[in-house]
Amino acid sequence: MSKILPKDFIFGGATAAYQAEGATHTDGKGPVAWDSYLAANYWYTAEPASDFYHKYPVDLKLAEEFGVNGIRISIAWSRIFPKGFGQANPKGIAFYHKLFAECRKRHVEPFVTLHHFDTPEALHSNGDFLNRENIEHFVHYAEFCFQEFPEVNYWTTFNEIGPIGDGQYLVGKFPPGIKYDLAKVFQSHHNMMVAHSKAVKAFKEGGCSGEIGVVHALPTKYPYDPNNPGDVRAAELEDIIHNKFILDATYLGKYSEKTMEGVRHILAANGGELDLREEDFAALEAAKDLNDFLGINYYMSDWMRAFDGETEITHNAKGAKGGSKYQIKGVGQREFDVDVPRTDWDWMIYPQGLYDQIMRVKQDYPNYKKIYITENGLGYKDEFVDHTVYDDARIDYVKKHLEVISDAIADGANVKGYFIWSLMDVFSWSNGYEKRYGLFYVDFETQERYPKKSAYWYQKVAQTQEIN
């Protein structure tokens, strides 16, 4: 029996400025840390990516034709303020006005993110969000955008605060490439949540029309052996690092005692301390009930075992299956050899984890209002044949995740839309161009677009609201 999604459900496609636009120095755009970091550490750059800067009319026309009625877009902060503050760049501002107008023309609702991993280089090299001055620079940039772009109805402050701290200070796969510094991870999470809260308060106090929220990546954490207290504890601690600390800040306006006990335990094992101030908690408290929606990005779950050795994390960048290692001192170790399918990048395919995460938000944070699944999709080494991709594995992946969303709605969760990552193929931050996610195949040489089999399947689901 096929499952149904609500009539007003958004069937969206997701993008991000730096992963799609290209044009990294065009029309006055300022540099971001990724420009030099990719050149120094990886085998590709973000130029020209999917050339969305010039090709957005093509992509939005495809979206309209294939029933995609929402698009996640991020504004590149350094297109608006090349140094992150100071003089605004008129050409950057004009680009986004044109882009949003094209969205309206194509009946595709833009959900606009202010920060998707791309702090301007001038601020990033000055400590990024570990530097409290940059909280104020972000809030000023946010206020500028709220006033400048009244045509936007849905605003997101940050995309994935969790993976930013994780990538920058734990795994070291994002600039500045620092590894195993758990205190910096939590401080980054905290300071970015303070920035989020201040921006939300400014939005509401500024009388802006529309809605505002935040997008959190929420990978579900399970004990490898639910009957082993050590494994249960490892899953709890891992969940605090990636999910609970940030969710508490968003919806409780503080960190629960259980959360803080876990944080203290992790820092005792790994060193470092946090700077958590009274005025920070005043800001969190003031915004906790003002979020109009939560975006959940969900790709995978993890299984955790007890572990008492040294921290070691290996990032699988090139899709060599089985190439991952993840163990944190005082926390636990990820077990990859579980009876669950996984991608070439060792991401565990487990739709039930999305259901569990949605229901956890509903139960633990009842002031959540509503949820959008703002990213979910399958990264794959697509084979391009007959001007298309026969991506049945992607269809199966999305189908199963839409089914558990339907189940969550039936069980009382307020989920209002789904955005496949990604609308068209884009470049992947630490995996390059080989890892494709799009409904539309991009030939990165010619910048031609080709609908994949999944695009036709998604079109049918969007037309019928029926997952078949």
Side-chain angles (χ1 to χ4, degrees), residues 101-276:
E102 192 70 23
C103 289
R104 291 274 161 260
K105 177 181 159 188
R106 294 295 173 191
H107 314 291
V108 179
E109 186 69 50
F111 284 65
V112 179
T113 304
L114 289 163
H115 181 282
H116 195 125
F117 298 1
D118 57 352
T119 307
E121 166 64 35
L123 305 185
H124 196 285
S125 60
N126 195 22
D128 202 16
F129 280 93
L130 296 177
N131 181 344
R132 287 172 175 270
E133 284 175 22
N134 292 336
I135 296 175
E136 302 314 317
H137 288 314
F138 174 78
V139 174
H140 174 260
Y141 153 63
E143 289 176 317
F144 179 90
C145 289
F146 299 152
Q147 298 304 320
E148 180 62 41
F149 302 110
E151 63 268 41
V152 173
N153 296 322
Y154 296 91
W155 288 100
T156 294
T157 51
F158 290 103
N159 178 76
E160 298 192 345
I161 286 170
I164 290 171
D166 172 83
Q168 295 188 172
Y169 309 117
L170 180 59
V171 182
K173 64 184 177 180
F174 288 9
I178 292 167
K179 296 183 87 164
Y180 312 156
D181 192 329
L182 273 299
K184 282 190 172 69
V185 173
F186 284 118
Q187 193 69 54
S188 171
H189 288 359
H190 173 78
N191 289 6
M192 292 183 82
M193 279 308 308
V194 172
H196 158 78
S197 299
K198 288 184 168 187
V200 167
K201 189 96 181 347
F203 182 85
K204 297 295 183 182
E205 286 181 346
C208 305
S209 64
E211 299 186 3
I212 191 165
V214 65
V215 166
H216 290 325
L218 301 178
T220 315
K221 309 296 181 178
Y222 298 100
Y224 180 71
D225 176 0
N227 299 312
N228 178 334
D231 291 6
V232 171
R233 175 67 165 162
E236 277 175 7
L237 292 168
E238 172 81 346
D239 181 66
I240 286 169
I241 295 171
H242 296 280
N243 302 322
K244 194 168 165 50
F245 187 80
I246 302 166
L247 284 168
D248 279 5
T250 309
Y251 287 113
L252 303 182
K254 61 183 184 194
Y255 306 111
S256 73
E257 185 42 49
K258 192 160 192 246
T259 299
M260 280 316 296
E261 181 277 319
V263 172
R264 287 191 292 270
H265 169 88
I266 292 164
L267 294 183
N270 292 278
E273 52 190 42
L274 301 184
D275 173 16
L276 310 178

Side-chain angles (χ1 to χ4, degrees), residues 268-286:
N270 292 278
E273 52 190 42
L274 301 184
D275 173 16
L276 310 178
R277 303 179 186 177
E278 271 182 47
E279 63 263 31
D280 300 345
F281 290 107
L284 294 176
E285 172 67 30

